[in-house]
Amino acid sequence: MLRNATKRILGGFETRAAQAQVRCYHERVVDHYNNPRNVGAFDKNDPTVGTGLVGAPACGDVMKLQIKVDEETGKITDACFKTFGCGSAIASSSVATEWVKGKQMEEVLTIKNTEIAKHLSLPPVKLHCSMLAEDAIKAAVKDYETKRGKSVANPSVKAAEA
């Protein structure tokens, strides 16, 4: 009853103000949020698995991204994630797992947060989500390298040496 009286007095102002505050995400963010790809976890003790766990204290997002690597070819055969955070963080994680599959370890290190952000059309206030995804990829590769006692050369180091 009070709500109806308020609407009559304000003439629908409340509704228009609420509509103005609605933020629209790009359809790719909504798709990856509603239908996330590769959600799950691998055994972190498996020597073919690299685990990257990163977080953003400012917003509370936490992202765990894991890769499974074919030891003979060095290709990433599978990837999965678990993310606690906003829709943009979940979408960034989902995209990252799709992009790393089937690629060489050196190649995934070239994936930049700006590419993820551009693909998802993230607004500036959500760029930290794509940064987390890039950091998670790098952390997973580093974890795998540490387990295997190897080092995948950083592409920027190769360029500097040339």
Side-chain angles (χ1 to χ4, degrees):
M1 187 166 124
L2 183 59
R3 184 176 293 155
N4 290 336
T6 303
K7 283 184 182 179
R8 278 189 304 235
I9 293 169
L10 295 176
F13 174 76
E14 178 184 301
T15 306
R16 287 190 300 269
Q19 288 172 346
Q21 291 180 350
V22 173
R23 293 187 183 199
C24 296
Y25 283 102
H26 191 274
E27 62 189 35
R28 288 188 193 115
V29 174
V30 174
D31 179 40
H32 279 275
Y33 175 75
N34 287 331
N35 308 296
R37 283 66 148 181
N38 311 306
V39 175
F42 300 131
D43 178 8
K44 67 178 182 176
N45 297 319
D46 182 341
T48 65
V49 171
T51 302
L53 183 63
V54 295
C59 65
D61 292 343
V62 178
M63 187 179 293
K64 180 174 87 171
L65 188 138
Q66 293 180 299
I67 54 172
K68 189 172 275 200
V69 182
D70 181 330
E71 295 182 52
E72 291 180 17
T73 64
K75 272 192 177 181
I76 296 173
T77 58
D78 204 359
C80 63
F81 79 95
K82 285 188 179 181
T83 296
F84 176 80
C86 65
S88 297
I90 292 167
S92 295
S93 304
S94 180
V95 166
T97 59
E98 290 213 311
W99 285 7
V100 300
K101 283 184 176 182
K103 293 188 176 162
Q104 293 290 333
M105 298 281 282
E106 297 86 2
E107 193 177 354
V108 300
L109 291 174
T110 64
I111 295 173
K112 299 293 175 208
N113 67 307
T114 51
E115 296 167 334
I116 295 170
K118 185 176 179 182
H119 177 73
L120 293 172
S121 297
L122 294 178
V125 73
K126 293 295 183 178
L127 292 179
H128 67 278
C129 297
S130 62
M131 290 178 199
L132 274 179
E134 179 184 345
D135 292 344
I137 292 168
K138 289 178 180 176
V141 169
K142 184 177 180 180
D143 181 60
Y144 174 77
E145 290 174 349
T146 302
K147 283 182 182 177
R148 303 299 300 156
K150 304 185 214 181
S151 177
V152 174
N154 188 337
S156 58
V157 172
K158 283 183 181 178
E161 291 173 356

